[in-house]
Amino acid sequence: MNTQLQSIADHYGTPCYVYSADAIAARAQALRETFGGRFRLRYAAKANPNPAILNLIEEQIDTIDISSSGELRIALSAGWPAARLSFTGPGKRAAELEAALTAGVGEIVVESLYEARTLDAMAATHGIRQAILLRLSPARLPRGFGVNMAGKPSQFGVDEEDMPAALSELAKLRHLDLQGLHIYSGTQCLDVGALAENWRIFIEIFRRAAALMQEAPRQLVFGAGLGIPYYENQQPLDLRALAEDITPDLDALRAEPPFTATRLALELGRYLVGEAGVYVTRVLHVKHSRGTHIAICDGGMNHHMAACGHLGSVLHRNYRLFRIGHGSDEAQTYDLVGPLCTTLDTLGHRVTLPTLAPGDLIGVPASGAYGLSSSPIHFISHDLPRELLVDGSQVRDVSFLSHHAAPRAAS
Ligand SMILES: *Cc1c(COP(=O)(O)O)cnc(C)c1O
């Protein structure tokens, strides 16, 4: 791994992202096997929309969840049939709904009654009955999630409190086919007990909703919330323990009349691809300033905002950074910064690493999700990093320009 990263960086240049196809496949397989095939898998494209990754997971994942017409174009161009796409997002524009509808997107996850009415009218015009899922927003999320969307005002989905009224309104919209329910209310959780408790909250809401629905739900989507370790002291999630904890509840649910033919699905992003990616940057210069060693690297926040602590974190905590390749075994403490003209561009604060010199490579693990596409790539106009996919013994340059201009709307 270490020597491979070194040779990739030397051959393709830095900074770069390196993704492992095997690691992604192993995660998909672990998810299927550990839950005994109880869950279908849905991948949220926003975690990493690189078309090569979307293409790669086509055989391992059932559905891609897109959140814009840009992601729709990317998924289609990566070889996904529209029927296996689902479209989620709190602010879908009319033109985006229209694009999804006419492309034949399998499911549209409706997040409000306003959206449902807009879509119903559109479907009527096209003479289509569109399959939808209703997204619900729970009143409660257990402690232990890095991101929490429950129990407070939220742009995502219909509040659980408003569910009965929403379901009776939805039933009147004849051009929408309510196929099931969707909840995603928190993520980045490493705690088995909290994850299982959260899924029990979902199950209880699903039961109440199903009792109010005219037809049995054909699908229930569990926005999984599975976390990955980013920081030094974090332990990986024990997937097996989670499966043991939740399986009796899933099986009990599947034994109840409205749910005997219902498909269950896990929707996730980071757990599938996050740990399959490394961001690699090269030390340009080591500066001594007022008692601190500062290693200045050729990439930072412009390519990897999350690693600099600016994607949803309140405090900066260092990712588990490592030096790639061999060299001195002496340790030294560094501030690790990128090339941008702003103090925000800090990859690591007071990180202890083997002694660094210009030319040394730094690896940032857990960078396969919310990396390049979640970063301010245009800020200060540095070149984009390449994206490399290691697939078996092959390395492919899968660099992808994140900027996809929409086709001009016809006037
Ligand atoms: C972002 C998102 C996901 C994926 O979240 P992860 O934390 O990457 O697993 C799943 N579903 C929805 C609706 C999302 O917005």
Side-chain angles (χ1 to χ4, degrees), residues 44 46-47 65 88 135 182 184 187 226 267-270 370:
K46 81 170 190 284
D65 190 59
T88 308
R135 180 167 182 182
H182 176 292
Y184 172 77
T187 189
L226 307 183
E267 184 170 278
L268 39 76
R270 73 187 70 207
Y370 307 108

Side-chain angles (χ1 to χ4, degrees), residues 91-103:
K92 306 181 192 78
R93 291 185 288 182
E96 293 183 300
L97 286 173
E98 183 103 24
L101 194 83
T102 52

Side-chain angles (χ1 to χ4, degrees), residues 52-394:
I53 289 184
L54 299 191
N55 180 265
L56 186 81
I57 62 177
E58 208 264 318
E59 287 182 0
Q60 300 149 5
I61 299 293
D62 300 285
T63 302
I64 287 195
D65 190 59
I66 54 162
S67 294
S68 66
S69 48
E71 285 186 352
L72 172 62
R73 288 193 294 275
I74 297 168
L76 293 175
S77 75
W80 279 74
R84 282 171 60 205
L85 302 180
S86 129
F87 186 14
T88 308
K92 306 181 192 78
R93 291 185 288 182
E96 293 183 300
L97 286 173
E98 183 103 24
L101 194 83
T102 52
V105 162
E107 294 151 5
I108 297 181
V109 180
V110 162
E111 306 229 14
S112 69
L113 273 180
Y114 174 77
E115 183 178 274
R117 291 191 184 108
T118 308
L119 185 63
D120 181 64
M122 214 175 259
T125 308
H126 287 278
I128 297 173
R129 191 143 185 264
Q130 174 65 45
I132 62 160
L133 304 177
L134 175 65
R135 180 167 182 182
L136 295 166
S137 171
R140 195 166 79 78
L141 183 80
R143 292 169 75 91
F145 286 73
V147 178
N148 174 8
M149 295 163 251
K152 53 188 173 188
S154 167
Q155 69 269 52
F156 306 111
V158 169
D159 292 347
E160 155 182 11
E161 300 87 323
D162 301 333
M163 177 177 78
L167 284 171
S168 79
E169 281 302 302
L170 272 185
K172 297 176 194 159
L173 303 176
R174 306 312 307 166
H175 294 275
L176 302 185
D177 175 16
L178 178 61
Q179 299 214 332
L181 305 161
H182 176 292
I183 304 180
Y184 172 77
S185 55
T187 189
Q188 185 45 25
C189 183
L190 293 165
D191 178 339
V192 165
L195 283 163
E197 188 190 342
N198 196 37
W199 293 357
R200 281 185 203 106
I201 291 173
F202 294 5
I203 287 172
E204 196 271 326
I205 295 172
F206 291 150
R207 279 199 178 101
R208 278 191 283 125
L212 299 170
M213 286 168 66
Q214 295 177 327
E215 289 174 44
R218 271 169 274 173
Q219 187 178 188
L220 300 175
V221 177
F222 292 66
L226 307 183
I228 59 173
Y230 289 104
Y231 312 118
E232 212 57 76
N233 55 352
Q234 289 182 316
Q235 296 304 313
L237 175 66
D238 186 344
L239 203 61
R240 199 159 294 282
L242 177 60
E244 273 171 29
D245 195 329
I246 199 65
T247 295
D249 299 85
L250 298 176
D251 290 346
L253 184 76
R254 293 287 310 281
E256 293 164 22
F259 301 109
T260 48
T262 306
R263 288 181 270 115
L264 309 182
L266 280 185
E267 184 170 278
L268 39 76
R270 73 187 70 207
Y271 192 77
L272 189 71
V273 298
E275 288 174 274
V278 182
Y279 177 62
V280 179
T281 178
R282 201 182 281 281
V283 175
L284 297 171
H285 172 45
V286 182
K287 175 180 176 178
H288 300 252
S289 170
R290 302 195 172 115
T292 296
H293 299 276
I294 303 174
I296 303 171
C297 304
D298 62 4
M301 182 180 80
N302 51 336
H303 304 153
H304 202 337
M305 187 163 72
C308 294
H310 306 305
L311 193 71
S313 338
V314 180
L315 293 175
H316 175 95
R317 289 166 81 187
N318 297 330
Y319 270 39
R320 292 171 285 120
L321 305 162
F322 64 99
R323 191 190 67 182
I324 296 167
H326 303 287
S328 158
D329 288 334
E330 274 174 54
Q332 182 66 264
T333 299
Y334 296 95
D335 280 358
L336 222 67
V337 303
L340 303 187
C341 309
T342 162
T343 53
L344 295 173
D345 191 10
T346 301
L347 281 166
H349 184 62
R350 301 199 61 74
V351 201
T352 302
L353 290 169
T355 313
L356 296 176
D360 282 349
L361 294 169
I362 302 292
V364 185
S367 297
Y370 307 108
L372 187 56
S373 70
S374 313
S375 299
I377 54 172
H378 297 296
F379 187 36
I380 315 198
S381 302
H382 285 277
D383 290 340
L384 282 177
R386 282 181 200 250
E387 294 174 275
L388 292 320
L389 181 69
V390 181
D391 194 349
S393 58
Q394 264 197 333

